[in-house]
Amino acid sequence: MKKCIFFLMLFTCAILNGQSKGDLIVGANSNFSGSISGLNVSPSFAYQVDDTWQVGLTSSVVQYNVYKFDYTNVFVRYYDSRCSYKHRPFLQLHVGTSINDKLFSSGIAVGLTAKLTKWLVFEPKLQLTYSESVLEYGFQGGANVGFGILL
């Protein structure tokens, strides 16, 4: 299964193009952090400042058992300008907060941005986040898959 996913990503990246300066990306991310209860979908907005920098915002409301949590994250991505536009690996720094559970989080992620069509973007990434709330704190790893529309 891992080999199949790897070759699918490799094939996808070989035929696709990345974003360019001035692109506005509107989309959604799906996070998975180890259990089905950690699955959520978040709307996402990003702006490609130039060929190497992107800034963005994600926000979500997550229902977990009887509790509802709100999350807002701001991120900055760096794309290496030496990389080809057929596939764009990135490094991302993000900070976030939640009013409901008084959470603060920050983290780092690595991922890949690729265009599926002239207007559809695909972005898988792996992330490590440190979170601190009233009840708990610590590091958490996770995977994220995003899709976006270029405006």
Side-chain angles (χ1 to χ4, degrees):
M1 181 67 176
K2 289 181 185 177
K3 287 181 182 180
C4 181
I5 293 171
F6 173 76
F7 285 114
L8 178 63
M9 285 180 59
L10 187 63
F11 173 76
T12 303
C13 295
I15 61 172
L16 304 175
N17 296 316
Q19 299 121 294
S20 58
K21 179 180 177 179
D23 283 345
L24 181 63
I25 301 100
V26 177
N29 293 303
S30 179
N31 297 306
F32 184 73
S33 58
S35 68
I36 197 65
S37 64
L39 183 65
N40 71 34
V41 176
S42 310
S44 175
F45 306 94
Y47 178 73
Q48 192 73 32
V49 177
D50 60 22
D51 288 339
T52 57
W53 294 100
Q54 184 183 85
V55 294
L57 173 76
T58 61
S59 183
S60 64
V61 175
V62 178
Q63 183 75 37
Y64 179 72
N65 293 333
V66 295
Y67 303 104
K68 216 180 232 185
F69 301 101
D70 65 305
Y71 296 102
T72 302
N73 289 297
V74 176
F75 64 85
V76 175
R77 288 185 181 164
Y78 172 75
Y79 293 92
D80 189 343
S81 61
R82 297 172 294 178
C83 292
S84 129
Y85 282 93
K86 293 185 184 250
H87 48 86
R88 305 275 323 259
F90 62 83
L91 177 65
Q92 173 180 302
L93 299 175
H94 56 269
V95 294
T97 187
S98 172
I99 296 170
N100 289 358
D101 60 349
K102 298 183 173 115
L103 174 98
F104 173 78
S105 65
S106 61
I108 190 167
V110 293
L112 182 73
T113 297
K115 269 187 176 176
L116 297 176
T117 68
K118 286 186 176 185
W119 52 269
L120 184 62
V121 177
F122 172 68
E123 295 182 332
K125 72 179 175 187
L126 296 174
Q127 60 192 21
L128 180 64
T129 303
Y130 176 79
S131 299
E132 192 171 301
S133 69
V134 174
L135 300 175
E136 61 186 9
Y137 62 92
F139 287 96
Q140 181 178 17
N144 178 298
V145 176
F147 287 92
I149 298 173
L150 297 172
L151 300 177

